[in-house]
Amino acid sequence: EAGVAQSPRYKIIEKRQSVAFWCNPISGHATLYWYQQILGQGPKLLIQFQNNGVVDDSQLPKDRFSAERLKGVDSTLKIQPAKLEDSAVYLCASSLESRGAGSTDTQYFGPGTRLTVL
Amino acid sequence: GQNIDQPTEMTATEGAIVQINCTYQTSGFNGLFWYQQHAGEAPTFLSYNVLDGLEEKGRFSSFLSRSKGYSYLLLKELQMKDSASYLCAVRGRDSNYQLIWGAGTKLIIKP
């Protein structure tokens, strides 16, 4: 079974530029998450999708960040314009979204995109 | 508020045993996860506990006490490749099945 795919793996941009990240979840996984992870910290949830609908985007800085999952499969996360404090690793994760008794609904992560804003 | 506490860093010797603790205060409880994260890589799933007690999986074991809001990850027969950060995450009562993440414990293995 193929894992979660992300691209690019690394990106360096200057502040005020825009950048986009792409994620392809594990086949059949209904739930997709975008996280921001700053060095030395745990992942911070930015947005959660279930199929092509947004479940939670309460921590997404909507003045500069946007995300979509148009067909309920692939997703893109965009930052426009970028700030220095956006330098972080952006992780995409997916889960099966089975909520029955005994289900763990484990999240599986992609390799991440390391963003450096200069 | 909701909070997950783990030690920032631990050091252990190759071949030894180490216990990484995690305490949590969350709005309800619906499972606790441990993930391993090597430097520059994504977190990978290690274990899941939802009932009290010990879950053993090879060299790794995870323990949960819901009444104490406490878990630990036990690593036996440490190998150099176990040098990584270990993240504790709790699923609260939130219907969105979201995880509350700790900051992680960086484990350094010395020969």
Side-chain angles (χ1 to χ4, degrees):
Chain A
E1 179 182 85
V4 177
Q6 287 187 250
S7 67
R9 291 295 311 278
Y10 305 92
K11 191 74 177 179
I12 300 174
I13 60 173
E14 295 190 349
K15 60 183 179 184
R16 290 187 289 274
Q17 287 187 321
S18 63
V19 65
F21 312 127
W22 173 82
C23 172
N24 182 253
I26 292 172
S27 177
H29 279 197
T31 308
L32 185 147
Y33 307 82
W34 281 103
Y35 288 95
Q36 180 193 61
Q37 188 176 28
I38 293 171
L39 190 64
Q41 298 182 17
K44 171 190 169 185
L45 179 68
L46 294 175
I47 189 167
Q48 177 185 355
F49 291 96
Q50 185 167 317
N51 297 308
N52 60 348
V54 175
V55 173
D56 185 352
D57 62 358
S58 58
Q59 296 195 83
L60 187 74
K62 298 181 187 64
D63 58 332
R64 298 184 301 107
F65 286 63
S66 64
E68 59 184 13
R69 192 184 185 199
L70 289 176
K71 295 183 179 179
V73 181
D74 293 10
S75 177
T76 56
L77 176 70
K78 297 179 182 177
I79 308 175
Q80 182 179 11
K83 292 185 175 181
L84 296 177
E85 59 260 36
D86 298 333
S87 293
V89 175
Y90 290 84
L91 295 166
C92 178
S94 70
S95 68
L96 194 57
E97 206 263 325
S98 58
R99 305 274 174 97
S103 166
T104 66
D105 199 38
T106 302
Q107 293 183 26
Y108 296 93
F109 285 82
T113 297
R114 182 175 298 277
L115 175 66
T116 302
V117 182
L118 303 176
Chain B
Q2 308 199 92
N3 196 48
I4 310 278
D5 284 316
Q6 321 178 220
T8 303
E9 187 174 297
M10 299 180 70
T11 302
T13 305
E14 190 177 15
I17 299 172
V18 71
Q19 177 175 311
I20 302 174
N21 296 325
C22 170
T23 57
Y24 62 89
Q25 292 175 309
T26 57
S27 301
F29 178 85
N30 203 359
L32 184 144
F33 293 78
W34 284 96
Y35 281 79
Q36 179 190 59
Q37 187 174 26
H38 285 101
E41 298 182 13
T44 55
F45 170 71
L46 285 178
S47 68
Y48 170 74
N49 295 71
V50 67
L51 299 176
D52 291 350
L54 189 68
E55 294 280 344
E56 296 188 74
K57 196 184 289 187
R59 293 189 300 115
F60 292 7
S61 302
S62 56
F63 172 84
L64 175 67
S65 168
R66 289 171 295 171
S67 62
K68 295 181 179 177
Y70 168 70
S71 173
Y72 67 73
L73 181 68
L74 191 72
L75 292 74
K76 303 175 185 176
E77 301 169 14
L78 287 170
Q79 302 175 10
M80 298 303 292
K81 67 179 182 180
D82 298 329
S83 291
S85 286
Y86 292 85
L87 297 161
C88 174
V90 173
R91 177 179 293 145
R93 200 178 291 142
D94 185 303
S95 62
N96 293 332
Y97 259 45
Q98 292 172 5
L99 297 180
I100 303 151
W101 292 85
T105 299
K106 182 178 180 180
L107 178 63
I108 300 167
I109 309 297
K110 295 185 175 180

